[in-house]
């Protein structure tokens, strides 16, 4: 449907409606088209006026579509009007309408009304990321940084994950502002990047650099650099944090993971205590392993090949240096099928120990248990990022140790585009593993921030080789 270019009279709308195949959804289809073409608001308004005269009211979903067009164009007074109509006519609104209203109002001088709406949303549900971030940006834009950070903390407390965009906005809006409290909050954002192993992209990194350099009277200077293999920063000559865990850190971490993650309430949702006990006995009788492999995960690396061939390639690659391998498999792999050939399975079992779990089992607990029980040298292979287990570790120090251990022990893999080969590398970096830890870090008068050239929404195994060094002169 091509929307008209100017407002129409009732009879003109009628004519268009009658010529439409499904007159009952005419308004919705027409409004969708207006949103797509970004039609003038008075054209859409004339359609709603006609509808109200004809039916006596306007359906909820039609109002939401009109609201979308108003928000798209920043028509604040119209957004206010729609809000008043909706409030008067409907007991409650769903999250989509709230998001639109909050987004539309927060970009205007009526931004405080968006905060009122956010409070309304909280009474019935956890506000969406968009709702929170619209309000945070509005508060920051109006230099109300204390309010912006309160909303940010509330968002984190409700497990709503912020986008890099909103984190970057904190640094952009705080440029040149003085205040110990504000500085503490922004350092907190940098520590959030550290704890969650997030690498800012180049424009975000620049915002951080400019903010530091704009703090009145503090004399921070930022330089882009590459860290030496030894872990020394060429700019400030400081040594970055070591990537390996001390014996004490390792034993604390392994105790915590075995207690909270493996024996926590979580594990037995997808596996039985009996099966897990059998696995523990199996492992204890065969310790230590050098590499533990998530067999099912690895078998899916190349979709066009048989799963058993993918796994076979991986085992051949990893068994090269007489490494002791444990493969976590599933019972269905033992049934001869198009993906699992019995003779290939037999050959693999000559090169590695296999444990076959029930088909519904959760591998991660098995993977972590066997790796940790094997000792500090043992590594594990999976493409999963094990995000769920971080949540079971209640304090940030243990979470940090878990991620640090993971960075040094997880082997990631990717298949080469052209050939049949699979490339393996330590999760972060080329072999050998980096001696320094690749996360945001500070010594008080220096900050080191690893960054990527481009924005990546998804977690990436590739370690950044570029760093921002900021020091206070």
């Amino acid at each position: 449907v091509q929307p008209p270019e100017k407002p129409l009279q009732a009879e003109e709308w009628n004519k268009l409606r009658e010529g439409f195949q499904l007159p009952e959804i005419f308004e919705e289809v027409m409004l969708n088209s207006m949103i797509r073409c970004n039609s003038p608001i008075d054209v859409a308004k004339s359609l709603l006026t006609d509808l109200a005269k004809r039916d006596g009211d306007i359906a909820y979903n039609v109002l939401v579509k009109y609201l979308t067009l108003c928000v798209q164009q920043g028509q604040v007074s119209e957004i206010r009007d729609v809000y008043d109509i909706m409030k008067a006519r409907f007991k409650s609104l769903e999250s989509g309408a709230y998001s639109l209203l909050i987004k539309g109002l927060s970009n205007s001088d009526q931004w405080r009304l968006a905060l009122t709406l956010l409070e309304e949303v909280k009474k019935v549900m956890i506000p969406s990321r968009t709702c929170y971030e619209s309000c945070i940006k509005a508060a920051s834009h109006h230099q109300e940084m204390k309010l912006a950070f309160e909303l940010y903390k509330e968002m984190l407390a409700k497990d709503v994950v912020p986008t890099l965009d909103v984190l970057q906005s904190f640094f952009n809006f705080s440029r040149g502002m003085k205040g110990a409290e504000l500085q503490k909050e922004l350092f907190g954002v940098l520590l959030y990047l550290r704890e969650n192993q997030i690498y800012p992209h180049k424009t975000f990194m620049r915002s951080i650099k400019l903010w530091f350099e704009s703090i009145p009277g503090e004399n921070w200077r930022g330089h882009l650099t590459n860290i030496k293999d030894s872990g020394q920063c060429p700019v400030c000559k400081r040594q970055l944090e070591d990537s390996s865990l001390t014996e004490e850190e390792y034993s604390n971490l392994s105790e915590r993971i075995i207690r909270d993650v493996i024996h926590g309430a979580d594990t037995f949702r997808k596996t039985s205590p009996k099966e897990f006990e059998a696995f523990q006995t199996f492992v204890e009788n065969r310790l230590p392993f050098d590499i533990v492999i998530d067999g099912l995960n690895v078998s899916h690396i190349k979709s066009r090949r048989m799963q058993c061939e993918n796994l076979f390639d991986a085992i051949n690659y990893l068994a090269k240096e007489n490494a002791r391998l444990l493969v976590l498999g599933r019972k269905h792999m033992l049934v001869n099928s198009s993906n699992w050939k019995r003779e290939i399975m037999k050959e693999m079992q000559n090169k590695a120990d296999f444990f076959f779990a029930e088909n519904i089992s959760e591998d991660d607990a098995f993977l972590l248990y066997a790796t940790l029980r094997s000792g500090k040298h043992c590594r594990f292979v999976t493409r999963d990022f094990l995000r769920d287990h971080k949540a079971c570790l209640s304090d940030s120090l243990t979470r940090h140790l878990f991620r640090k251990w993971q960075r040094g022990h997880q082997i990631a893999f990717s298949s080469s585009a052209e050939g049949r080969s699979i490339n393996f590398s330590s999760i972060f970096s080329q072999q050998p593993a980096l001696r320094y830890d690749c996360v945001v870090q500070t010594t008080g008068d220096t900050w080191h921030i690893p960054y990527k050239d481009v924005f990546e929404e998804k977690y990436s195994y590739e370690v950044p080789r570029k760093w921002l060094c900021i020091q206070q002169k």
Side-chain angles (χ1 to χ4, degrees), residues 104-159:
L105 293 166
S106 60
N107 285 330
S108 73
D109 55 357
Q110 310 264 323
W111 67 280
R112 286 194 182 277
L113 186 55
L115 297 174
T116 312
L117 284 178
L118 186 69
E119 290 307 315
E120 253 180 60
V121 177
K122 281 186 222 168
K123 288 175 192 160
V124 284
M125 62 185 113
I126 292 178
S128 69
R129 171 156 82 180
T130 316
C131 288
Y132 269 120
E133 296 199 343
S134 298
C135 292
I136 288 171
K137 283 188 180 166
S140 306
H141 184 72
H142 291 88
Q143 306 282 288
E144 299 233 6
M145 297 313 293
K146 191 166 180 281
L147 173 61
F149 278 108
E150 275 169 19
L151 291 168
Y152 162 68
K153 284 178 188 159
E154 189 182 292
M155 182 180 181
L156 293 183
K158 291 184 174 162
D159 283 331

Side-chain angles (χ1 to χ4, degrees), residues 164 193-200 382-387 390 402-404 406-408 410-412 426-429 437-439 452 454-464:
L164 292 191
L193 297 180
R194 172 189 172 90
E195 190 170 312
N196 293 281
Q197 204 175 303
I198 295 166
Y199 302 124
T382 179
R383 276 192 294 184
D384 285 349
F385 189 50
L386 310 180
R387 280 200 184 281
K390 206 190 84 178
F402 177 62
R403 282 281 173 251
K404 187 171 176 175
Q406 187 186 3
R407 281 193 288 277
Q410 183 168 357
I411 298 173
S426 168
I427 174 168
F428 288 131
S429 80
D437 199 9
C438 197
V439 280
K452 298 236 162 165
V454 289
F455 167 71
E456 283 170 356
E457 178 69 75
K458 279 209 167 337
Y459 179 74
S460 159
Y461 288 115
E462 288 298 307
V463 66

Side-chain angles (χ1 to χ4, degrees), residues 1-4 6-10 12-17 23 25-35 39-59 62-63 65-66 69:
V1 183
Q2 198 53 39
K6 58 182 195 339
L8 301 182
Q9 296 302 319
E12 296 173 294
W13 280 123
N14 266 336
K15 200 171 165 195
L16 277 180
R17 192 179 289 106
I25 57 162
F26 171 75
E27 282 77 18
E28 284 187 56
V29 175
M30 180 56 81
L31 280 162
N32 279 339
S33 186
M34 288 179 182
I35 293 164
S39 297
I41 210 76
D42 54 353
V43 177
K45 218 170 168 179
S46 81
L47 174 63
L48 259 62
T49 309
D50 174 58
L51 183 62
K53 277 182 188 158
R54 211 182 74 244
D55 293 357
D57 70 356
I58 298 167
V62 173
L63 273 173
K65 289 194 189 301
Y66 177 63
L69 187 65

Side-chain angles (χ1 to χ4, degrees), residues 250 287-289 370-379 405 409:
Y250 180 78
L287 285 174
F289 296 103
T371 309
L372 289 163
R373 286 293 294 126
S374 291
K376 228 171 134 178
H377 74 288
C378 183
R379 295 185 298 166
W405 172 76
H409 291 77

Side-chain angles (χ1 to χ4, degrees), residues 291 293 298 309-323 325 351 379 381 411-414 420-426 431:
I291 301 172
I293 302 165
V298 172
E309 285 185 333
N310 286 330
L311 186 55
F312 189 58
D313 277 2
I315 288 172
N316 277 340
Y317 180 93
L318 294 166
K320 273 181 198 160
E321 287 139 30
N322 294 325
L325 310 182
K351 300 189 177 204
R379 295 185 298 166
V381 184
I411 298 173
F413 53 88
S414 59
R420 291 165 55 84
S421 67
I422 296 179
N423 310 316
F424 286 82
S425 65
S426 168
Q431 299 287 65

